[in-house]
Amino acid sequence: MDRTQMTLAIAAALFAAVLLGWGLRWIFALLNPPPPPPPTPDSEWAAYAKSCEAERDQAVARRDELERQLTNRLTQTQAELDATMEGLRAARTEVHDLARRLSEAGAAAE
């Protein structure tokens, strides 16, 4: 065996070793999946829960304030409606009295 054949034989053996190593590594990776990620510490969950509770409290406060405003507006509108109905009732009574007086005055003039 001369030098060229020896070099080719060694190169082929090294190439086969690289292929065998790559194949074994691939099989090892299939048989051993990566470990699961570490669990989130409780302190992070507690901070997240507290921030969610704060958001909920803000939303409840906004809802209560809006409900209070709408109740006030409804009360004011109801008071305005009552005042308007009372004024309309007084105007109708006055018109009825004036019509009665006018009819009495017309009957007296005849």
Side-chain angles (χ1 to χ4, degrees):
M1 182 179 251
D2 63 350
R3 286 180 109 168
T4 306
Q5 289 178 345
M6 177 81 77
T7 303
L8 288 176
I10 292 173
L14 287 175
F15 184 71
V18 168
L19 285 178
L20 179 65
W22 180 80
L24 290 175
R25 186 207 141 298
W26 181 70
I27 292 171
F28 181 79
L30 286 177
L31 294 176
N32 296 314
T40 306
D42 289 341
S43 60
E44 288 182 24
W45 284 111
Y48 176 71
K50 286 181 182 180
S51 68
C52 289
E53 287 175 0
E55 288 177 17
R56 185 203 60 210
D57 293 342
Q58 289 174 354
V60 167
R62 284 192 306 257
R63 184 202 63 200
D64 291 343
E65 180 64 28
L66 183 60
E67 186 175 336
R68 197 171 15 263
Q69 289 175 357
L70 290 176
T71 302
N72 289 341
R73 285 177 58 189
L74 179 62
T75 304
Q76 290 173 355
T77 304
Q78 188 66 39
E80 290 173 3
L81 176 64
D82 291 342
T84 302
M85 293 302 285
E86 185 63 35
L88 181 61
R89 185 177 309 118
R92 284 183 178 170
T93 305
E94 186 178 341
V95 167
H96 183 64
D97 288 343
L98 288 175
R100 186 179 46 81
R101 286 184 194 168
L102 186 60
S103 65
E104 288 175 0
E110 290 180 2

